Amino acid sequence: MLALFIGLVMGVSGQEEFTEPEAKLLSVVPFTRMSGGVIILTGIVNNYTDSLNFILDTGSGGISLDSLTCVRLNISLSPSERTIRGIGGIRRVNFLNNATLKLKGLQVDSLNFHVNDYDILSSVYGVKIDGIIGYSFLSRFIVKLDYDSSKMYVYSKGEFRYPRGGHILRPQFGTIPIQTVKFRDEPKRPLFNRFYFDTGAGLCLLLSKDYVTDSAVMRKGKPAPVITQAEGLGGKMQMELTTVKEIQLGPYKFRNVPTFVFEDKFNVTSYPFLGGLIGNDILRRFTVTLNYAKKEIHIIPNSLYHDGFDYSYTGLGVYFVNDKIVVEDIVPGSPGEKAGFQPGDVIIGINNNYSNNIQTYKNLMQTTGTKLRILVLRNGEPFELYMKPKSILKG
């Protein structure tokens, strides 16, 4: 018996276990947080000296450059037959192959950038958007997004200790993470469905109209949705804006969540496999660690977790065009139309703010129930308009 015991002990102690090396911090990259929590990083491509602005987007299956940026830098491209899909359509794209991306303290080689038109994104955010960083970058590293400090921590692959607390999500991973979310709008009818995990979407929740219709998930008797406009690949499109009673991401619950519903003509949301996407106005409320190699995403609430949601509605499509903040679209019957706005009005001030910053003006217009004094130029003449943004909670 003693000999057998010794043999068992020796057998166990003689086994070998291989472990990965520890993940190493490679770089800390500062970012700018735009409306809806969208992240903008600054980097350089190849040996071009111009500093370029990129949106960090888990909803992108690759990495890309803006077409006008390529023209400005005289970048030679390779034609292709490949296409990409977005909410506004399907487009064939060209490529910049075997390129290098340089971020602060980090160089990433052998990247194939596809080329697309991001002019609409530049006008939405008020800064030139030169490209989007997605799966081609994110899949090579462990990436921690700290929205409190506005910094991205980039680690090598390997054994990694997540921050204490929080929760590990285990999405399905292709080029875009797909997370199951508990979704409830009817009082006694919770649903579990799959959603894209999309840091490039500056909203809380986006649902396809087919999903909403077929699942009958929306409760009756709630305020009717308002018609609004959203932007994405392919341009602008009208959507319905409403709320859902509750969504749950891991153990974390959010109530009365602003939700866009749209006619998904190009099946971007892959219905019926997916219901839509969960965007960065939810995700920014966590410190998020993306570990594609382990097929894990760790989330832990940050200081933004209890931020209120934006329930405001103006019905105005406002864009930054030629260094001016221009009203281009007005929804009939909206607070913007009732205030007297006309297409082509140039907003030069709201209350006592004359910063000409579209992000600042959009934030000011998120104040529901308060009458705003808005100074506009119309055909070169100044006008004062007064608008009270509506709350979608009240109908």
Side-chain angles (χ1 to χ4, degrees), residues 4 41 186 192 277 293 296 304 329 367:
L4 176 61
L41 301 167
E186 290 284 358
F192 291 86
L277 64 85
E296 296 175 345
L304 308 174
D329 308 286
T367 307

Side-chain angles (χ1 to χ4, degrees), residues 7 22 43 55 58 60 68 81 104 123 142 158-159 162 169 173 212 220-221 253 268 273 285 290 324 381 386 390:
E22 280 194 14
I55 292 176
T58 57
S60 167
L68 289 179
E81 297 299 319
K104 182 182 178 182
S123 65
I142 299 171
E159 288 297 319
Y162 297 114
L169 304 172
F173 269 90
V212 170
K220 297 178 181 179
K253 295 180 181 180
V268 176
F273 179 64
R285 300 161 192 270
L290 305 164
K324 298 177 182 178
E381 296 291 328
Y386 292 86
K390 176 182 177 180

Side-chain angles (χ1 to χ4, degrees), residues 5-298:
F5 176 76
I6 293 172
L8 288 173
V9 172
M10 290 178 65
V12 172
S13 63
Q15 291 178 356
E16 294 180 334
E17 181 180 353
F18 294 96
T19 60
E20 287 186 295
E22 280 194 14
K24 295 182 179 179
L25 180 62
L26 303 176
S27 182
V28 180
V29 184
F31 62 76
T32 302
R33 182 158 50 90
M34 309 301 283
S35 59
V38 169
I39 288 172
I40 293 184
L41 301 167
T42 301
I44 292 174
V45 172
N46 288 347
N47 293 318
Y48 300 99
T49 57
D50 289 41
S51 184
L52 306 180
N53 294 318
F54 293 90
I55 292 176
L56 186 73
D57 186 4
T58 57
S60 167
I63 192 167
S64 59
L65 284 170
D66 174 61
S67 53
L68 289 179
T69 298
C70 292
V71 171
R72 175 169 58 85
L73 297 180
N74 196 27
I75 296 175
S76 179
L77 303 174
S78 300
S80 81
E81 297 299 319
R82 294 181 62 182
T83 60
I84 56 173
R85 288 188 300 169
I87 64 170
I90 301 173
R91 293 185 176 184
R92 192 169 66 181
V93 294
N94 296 329
F95 278 82
L96 170 64
N97 291 315
N98 198 30
T100 297
L101 173 66
K102 300 173 185 176
L103 302 174
K104 182 182 178 182
L106 184 68
Q107 178 170 311
V108 188
D109 298 317
S110 303
L111 293 169
N112 296 328
F113 289 81
H114 69 263
V115 177
N116 196 19
D117 180 0
Y118 295 129
D119 186 57
I120 185 68
L121 297 181
S122 298
S123 65
V124 167
Y125 294 113
V127 297
K128 181 72 177 76
I129 302 300
D130 297 293
I132 291 176
I133 295 173
Y135 175 82
S136 299
F137 172 86
L138 295 167
S139 61
R140 299 189 186 194
F141 306 100
I142 299 171
V143 175
K144 184 174 76 172
L145 304 176
D146 186 338
Y147 292 90
D148 283 331
S149 64
S150 294
K151 291 179 181 178
M152 177 178 75
Y153 294 79
V154 184
Y155 298 84
S156 62
K157 293 180 181 179
E159 288 297 319
F160 185 83
R161 293 185 180 181
Y162 297 114
R164 294 186 63 180
H167 181 78
I168 296 177
L169 304 172
R170 292 183 170 87
Q172 298 178 44
F173 269 90
T175 56
I176 301 174
I178 296 171
Q179 176 64 35
T180 298
V181 174
K182 185 178 179 181
F183 175 102
R184 184 164 68 93
D185 202 47
E186 290 284 358
K188 298 181 180 179
R189 193 166 179 259
L191 295 176
F192 291 86
N193 212 323
R194 294 173 293 265
F195 295 86
Y196 283 131
F197 189 100
D198 192 351
T199 63
L203 47 78
C204 292
L205 193 65
L206 176 70
L207 306 177
S208 73
K209 184 165 282 189
D210 286 339
Y211 170 70
V212 170
T213 301
D214 292 349
S215 65
V217 69
M218 292 296 189
R219 68 186 185 272
K220 297 178 181 179
K222 66 193 295 184
V226 297
I227 303 301
T228 188
Q229 187 169 272
E231 302 83 14
L233 174 61
K236 310 171 186 175
M237 67 180 305
Q238 281 197 342
M239 296 189 180
E240 295 178 353
L241 177 59
T242 183
T243 61
V244 297
K245 189 170 184 179
E246 182 181 281
I247 66 170
Q248 183 173 336
L249 181 63
Y252 305 107
K253 295 180 181 180
F254 299 93
R255 296 180 61 83
N256 294 324
V257 179
T259 301
F260 290 88
V261 179
F262 79 118
E263 193 76 49
D264 191 0
K265 296 179 181 179
F266 301 98
N267 201 24
V268 176
T269 57
S270 300
Y271 180 78
F273 179 64
L274 302 180
L277 64 85
I278 183 167
N280 223 28
D281 206 14
I282 291 289
L283 306 179
R284 70 179 179 85
R285 300 161 192 270
F286 301 90
T287 297
V288 178
T289 304
L290 305 164
N291 192 338
Y292 280 49
K294 294 287 188 181
K295 297 184 178 180
E296 296 175 345
I297 298 176
H298 181 269

